[in-house]
Amino acid sequence: MNLTIIILILIFSLSCFFFGKTKVSNKIKISRGKLNSLPKYYGYYLAAWCGLPALLILILWTFSELYFVKFIILSDFKADPTIDENKLNLIFTEIVSIAEKKFSGQIPQNLIPYAERFLSLKYIFELSKLAVIFSTILFSIFFSYEQILKNIKAKESVEKIIKSVMFCCAAIAIFTTFGIVLSLLFESIKFFTVVPIFDFLSGTNWSPGRAFIRDASTEIADVENVFGAVPLFWGTFFIAAIAMCVAIPIGLFSGIYMAEYASRKVRKIVKPLIEVLAGIPTVVYGFFAALTVGPFFRTLGEIIGLEVSSESALAAGIVMGVMIIPYVSSLTDDVINAVPLSLREGSFSLGATKSETTKKVILPAALPGIVGAILLAVSRAVGETMIVVMAAGLGASLTINPLEASTTITTQIVTILVGEQSFDDPKTQAAFALGITLFFFTLIINIIALQTVKKFREQYE
Amino acid sequence: MINEKIKISTKNLNVFYASKQALFDININLKENKVTALIGPSGCGKSTFIRCLNRMNDVIDICKVEGSIKIDGDEINKKNLDVNLIREKVGMVFQKPNPFPKSIYDNVAYGPRIHGLAENRESLDNIVENSLKKAALWDEVKDRLNQPGTGLSGGQQQRLCIARTISINPEVILMDEPCSALDPIATAKIEELIDELKETYTIVIVTHSMSQAARVSNDTGFFHLGKILEFNSTEKIFKNPDNKLTQDYITGRFG
Ligand SMILES: Nc1ncnc2c1ncn2[C@@H]1O[C@H](COP(=O)(O)OP(=O)(O)O)[C@@H](O)[C@H]1O
Ligand SMILES: [Mg+2]
């Protein structure tokens, strides 16, 4: 239905374009002697007026329609105090599926009249939608045509329209971000009313599963003591640190090699090859870590008589480090290339060798940029999920032994949200609290990183 | 006059950037402890020439230098030669001051540290102090040796670069338009400095300013389109050049 309407609107717009470009501009040319814009701008102007308001109304209408229908249908049930919000939603879903003949099982007789009501309401709404949209189109075509006859500058108006369309797109991006943060925030606030924020941030026991088994178990698991996120923070930090131990030296040196030592030909081949690492999907890294690296460490451990679990922080961290190498090396390469040639020449002219120059002049000069690059890589490591889910295990423990299983914030979010869950349960809400904590972590790291890189760039401009 | 020693001599020096030839058969002799000025319109190959003298053109991949360059009679344009030894002997000051982003002290101490010229901190301090004094910068910076060299004014930065160059006791100092980024007062200071430095060092200076060449140099070479059109004592070049083009260039009729 909506698709048909959209296509119709587009067809109208297109015809408006040609109408404006030929007929209208000709008419103006005849009546005024000359045009104030190229003919196509009259076309764009008419087409934009024809299409944009109609599309806007279509979108708004479609979203509010469902809301109104639901409100009207459910008004009968609201009187009953035994029916809460969740129940209401469930009833409405049932009514809709009955109406759409998708209901499986015994149809509850009492809901059938509501289903019929739903269908007729929907019919009315759709009809009025059509009416409103097409009168909008007519009205705005008429309006814009009048405007053109009043000799407005079509070119400038089109410019304004384009500007506002672009502004809307930018606004959508920003509002979405805000929306996400706000929804995280609201859910987390709900969570923090049940579990004090201090317990969450400083508690050392993370076993949200026990928040459920309160009734089943004789010992009463209290909600307050199972949501201590410190083990997760630790696991996140620990695995990221292992990853950086791999990524920093290898990435840094390959970056330096590419920037300072490799001939142009070698660089042209090596750089894209390293960057391929960044293009490998993380899930592939994940099973590489879980199926190859993990077992490898276990066998290695057996040989030297160490107990290594097949899921270990070490395996996940190392593979994550490999994944991050290109971030560090590419950025290092860029940053080093941004150090002006004149500094190199200054050092060479004093009889310094290449490695002396690199060590004593280039690296200190590039340091802020390199630090920025490393921080960006850290924030990448902190947010990485797939590899950890697959290779590091799920048990939250406070351990400094890299051979044991470990877990991170992101992994726990996944575990919590996979499978059965309901939205009002603290376990689910804990995921939001974790999410917003993680968001703040990476936000701060990113801000610092971008700031240092910016300072570095300013230094050489 | 007859006993002037030749410090650097080039023979049939040809330089190419990829397939484009930038210098054609340069044959000149530069005298020890004298200032030689190189003048000529932009793009005529002056920088290319002086960068041959400390093998700085090695830094540029596509640059190929053919012919002979001798310093004290030793060939320097040959393979299997430690270029760092040459650069130790032939220092260079660039057009744009390029102090390292380090403290004033570390800028000057950079070369001596690399070549192990000082046994202890005290002798390093001495080298730094002497170099800065020779570069006529000591009095201005002696109280702030730990501040970054990049924080100095343009003229001071250039003198810092000169101090850096003389800190490793070179025999020759190459200067590629050392004053073109400086104001007249800073320029006058550098010119004064050059006058003092020529007691100790052989100096080759590229300059755009005729008056500067006339003031500071003993000999002058005029480059044009990659060739050296005239090379003679500065007096002769400026009073009575042999070549018509030299005359035109000096009097500002082209350039
Ligand atoms: N790095 C380079 N790559 C290619 N050509 C160059 C390079 N440097 C200089 N040239 C060319 O060599 C010629 C001489 O340049 P240069 O020695 O810089 O002249 P000058 O210093 O007298 O102005 C010019 O034609 C210039 O285009
Ligand atoms: Mg030049």
Side-chain angles (χ1 to χ4, degrees):
Chain A
M1 179 70 185
N2 281 343
L3 192 65
T4 329
I5 299 179
I6 290 175
I7 291 172
L8 278 177
I9 294 176
L10 291 182
I11 291 173
F12 273 113
S13 270
L14 202 63
S15 5
C16 276
F17 173 71
F18 289 113
F19 175 63
K21 189 177 164 187
T22 52
K23 285 268 158 48
V24 178
S25 58
N26 270 340
K27 183 171 169 179
I28 294 187
K29 208 171 191 172
I30 290 161
S31 66
R32 292 191 191 269
K34 72 177 185 34
L35 295 173
N36 61 26
S37 316
L38 287 177
K40 64 178 178 185
Y41 283 108
Y42 293 98
Y44 289 139
Y45 183 74
L46 277 182
W49 267 107
C50 165
L52 292 179
L55 281 177
L56 192 67
I57 288 177
L58 178 67
I59 292 169
L60 291 179
W61 192 288
T62 310
F63 279 113
S64 42
E65 181 183 283
L66 196 67
Y67 179 79
F68 281 117
V69 172
K70 189 172 167 182
F71 183 80
I72 295 168
I73 299 256
L74 291 180
S75 55
D76 285 0
F77 295 91
K78 285 214 175 95
D80 186 346
T82 61
I83 301 177
D84 66 0
E85 184 94 21
N86 286 323
K87 197 80 198 293
L88 278 177
N89 281 331
L90 195 66
I91 292 174
F92 186 67
T93 326
E94 283 179 352
I95 293 174
V96 173
S97 52
I98 293 171
E100 287 169 353
K101 306 218 165 17
K102 283 180 192 150
F103 195 84
S104 54
Q106 183 70 38
I107 294 177
Q109 288 303 315
N110 65 328
L111 291 184
I112 289 176
Y114 290 105
E116 279 159 7
R117 179 112 179 268
F118 173 80
L119 282 180
S120 61
L121 269 176
K122 193 134 189 183
Y123 184 67
I124 295 170
F125 269 100
E126 295 285 285
L127 271 189
S128 32
K129 176 160 85 180
L130 271 182
V132 169
I133 285 178
F134 285 100
S135 41
T136 311
I137 291 181
L138 283 182
F139 176 76
S140 43
I141 291 178
F142 180 72
F143 171 77
S144 49
Y145 184 67
E146 284 288 291
Q147 290 296 106
I148 289 179
L149 291 187
K150 278 192 217 145
N151 199 23
I152 57 131
K153 289 222 167 66
K155 197 166 146 185
E156 280 168 21
S157 314
V158 169
E159 208 58 38
K160 272 184 210 151
I161 292 169
I162 289 175
K163 202 171 126 194
S164 32
V165 168
M166 288 198 269
F167 175 80
C168 287
C169 292
I172 288 173
I174 292 170
F175 279 119
T176 320
T177 314
F178 266 109
I180 292 172
V181 174
L182 280 184
S183 82
L184 276 180
L185 210 55
F186 279 127
E187 295 295 330
S188 325
I189 287 171
K190 276 193 218 156
F191 173 73
F192 288 131
T193 54
V194 183
V195 179
I197 188 162
F198 183 75
D199 290 357
F200 174 73
L201 290 179
S202 67
T204 54
N205 178 23
W206 179 265
S207 37
R210 293 182 55 192
F212 258 164
I213 52 172
R214 203 183 319 199
D215 309 334
S217 139
T218 43
E219 93 185 271
I220 293 170
D222 62 329
V223 176
E224 267 124 63
N225 281 334
V226 298
F227 286 114
V230 170
L232 307 188
F233 298 155
W234 168 250
T236 306
F237 168 78
F238 191 43
I239 291 180
I242 294 174
M244 295 324 286
C245 286
V246 174
I248 290 178
I250 298 180
L252 206 58
F253 286 131
S254 53
I256 294 172
Y257 169 74
M258 283 192 292
E260 291 292 317
Y261 291 90
S263 70
R264 210 179 303 183
K265 230 161 105 208
V266 173
R267 184 165 184 261
K268 234 174 166 173
I269 299 166
V270 172
K271 196 168 182 182
L273 276 183
I274 293 183
E275 277 163 5
V276 165
L277 285 178
I280 298 175
T282 55
V283 68
V284 175
Y285 278 111
F287 65 68
F288 175 62
L291 301 181
T292 313
V293 181
F296 171 73
F297 281 131
R298 198 180 43 189
T299 335
L300 204 66
E302 275 165 9
I303 291 171
I304 53 173
L306 268 177
E307 182 151 343
V308 183
S309 64
S310 62
E311 294 183 322
S312 67
L314 190 65
I318 285 178
V319 174
M320 195 192 278
V322 171
M323 181 189 82
I324 292 171
I325 288 172
Y327 290 82
V328 180
S329 71
S330 265
L331 279 168
T332 304
D333 180 33
D334 291 347
V335 163
I336 289 180
N337 272 320
V339 175
L341 184 67
S342 67
L343 287 185
R344 285 185 184 92
E345 291 193 334
S347 171
F348 291 150
S349 77
L350 290 164
T353 63
K354 209 156 198 176
S355 58
E356 284 165 342
T357 304
T358 306
K359 200 172 77 194
K360 296 192 164 172
V361 176
I362 309 297
L363 286 188
L367 194 65
I370 292 174
V371 169
I374 288 172
L375 282 177
L376 285 179
V378 169
S379 95
R380 189 66 226 277
V382 165
E384 174 50 41
T385 319
M386 218 53 210
I387 296 175
V388 194
V389 171
M390 297 173 82
L394 302 170
S397 59
L398 260 178
T399 172
I400 55 162
N401 180 359
L403 304 177
E404 276 179 32
S406 184
T407 193
T408 63
I409 300 178
T410 52
T411 316
Q412 284 309 309
I413 295 178
V414 174
T415 343
I416 288 173
L417 294 183
V418 167
E420 293 277 322
Q421 89 257 172
S422 70
F423 267 92
D424 52 351
D425 141 29
K427 192 181 153 210
T428 312
Q429 286 160 352
F432 289 94
L434 288 177
I436 199 146
T437 321
L438 185 66
F439 173 72
F440 274 119
F441 275 172
T442 47
L443 183 70
I444 289 168
I445 298 175
N446 277 345
I447 289 176
I448 298 174
L450 293 176
Q451 216 55 34
T452 40
V453 173
K454 196 173 135 211
K455 273 223 190 83
F456 166 76
R457 296 231 181 278
E458 278 165 1
Q459 194 181 343
Y460 294 113
E461 248 149 36
Chain B
M1 284 290 258
I2 307 150
N3 276 340
E4 279 167 340
K5 198 180 156 228
I6 304 298
K7 184 75 183 170
I8 303 176
S9 71
T10 68
K11 217 176 209 161
N12 299 334
L13 185 65
N14 287 289
V15 179
F16 304 82
Y17 289 106
S19 60
K20 181 175 172 259
Q21 188 161 6
L23 289 180
F24 300 82
D25 284 325
I26 307 294
N27 295 298
I28 49 176
N29 294 322
L30 308 173
K31 293 177 197 128
E32 185 157 39
N33 289 11
K34 295 281 185 253
V35 179
T36 304
L38 303 178
I39 57 173
S42 335
C44 65
K46 306 176 300 287
S47 301
T48 306
F49 175 73
I50 75 166
R51 288 166 61 94
C52 290
L53 305 182
N54 66 344
R55 296 279 301 262
M56 207 41 139
N57 282 327
D58 290 16
V59 177
I60 299 164
D61 284 346
I62 56 169
C63 187
K64 208 167 77 215
V65 181
E66 288 172 359
S68 151
I69 305 165
K70 285 190 171 145
I71 297 184
D72 294 330
D74 297 329
E75 179 61 47
I76 66 154
N77 189 31
K78 59 180 182 196
K79 279 191 180 157
N80 308 327
L81 183 87
D82 186 356
V83 292
N84 296 320
L85 289 181
I86 297 163
R87 290 176 188 158
E88 221 180 314
K89 208 153 133 187
V90 184
M92 186 166 204
V93 177
F94 298 82
Q95 180 167 1
K96 211 174 138 240
N98 58 349
F100 302 132
K102 299 170 179 289
S103 72
I104 294 171
Y105 184 96
D106 287 339
N107 260 285
V108 184
Y110 182 82
R113 276 179 177 145
I114 279 182
H115 298 293
L117 300 185
E119 280 103 56
N120 49 33
R121 179 77 192 196
E122 203 178 319
S123 75
L124 189 60
D125 286 349
N126 276 331
I127 293 176
V128 170
E129 180 172 342
N130 284 330
S131 309
L132 284 170
K133 273 181 177 158
K134 277 194 205 154
L137 189 61
W138 175 252
D139 290 331
E140 289 159 64
V141 299
K142 63 173 181 241
D143 305 321
R144 45 171 173 153
L145 291 176
N146 288 322
Q147 287 176 19
T150 43
L152 298 172
S153 73
Q156 289 173 324
Q157 285 188 15
Q158 197 60 298
R159 276 178 284 148
L160 179 62
C161 292
I162 293 175
R164 192 174 71 183
T165 306
I166 57 192
S167 68
I168 54 171
N169 276 319
E171 295 166 17
V172 181
I173 300 179
L174 311 172
M175 299 183 166
D176 191 352
E177 302 187 29
C179 302
S180 65
L182 306 181
D183 63 65
I185 293 172
T187 302
K189 277 199 181 140
I190 303 262
E191 286 180 9
E192 230 169 84
L193 182 58
I194 291 172
D195 227 33
E196 282 166 31
L197 292 176
K198 76 174 175 201
E199 307 291 323
T200 336
Y201 309 100
T202 304
I203 295 175
V204 185
I205 177 170
V206 172
T207 175
H208 255 127
S209 146
M210 294 308 110
S211 57
Q212 184 170 64
R215 274 194 303 269
V216 301
S217 68
N218 308 94
D219 285 339
T220 298
F222 174 59
F223 276 77
H224 185 61
L225 297 176
K227 299 196 174 91
I228 185 129
L229 286 195
E230 189 163 358
F231 188 88
N232 230 320
S233 77
T234 303
E235 216 185 322
K236 169 106 172 84
I237 293 256
F238 279 87
K239 288 227 175 92
N240 179 19
D242 290 334
N243 194 304
K244 172 90 173 43
L245 272 173
T246 318
Q247 171 91 43
D248 287 351
Y249 183 71
I250 287 164
T251 50
R253 242 166 279 172
F254 83 98

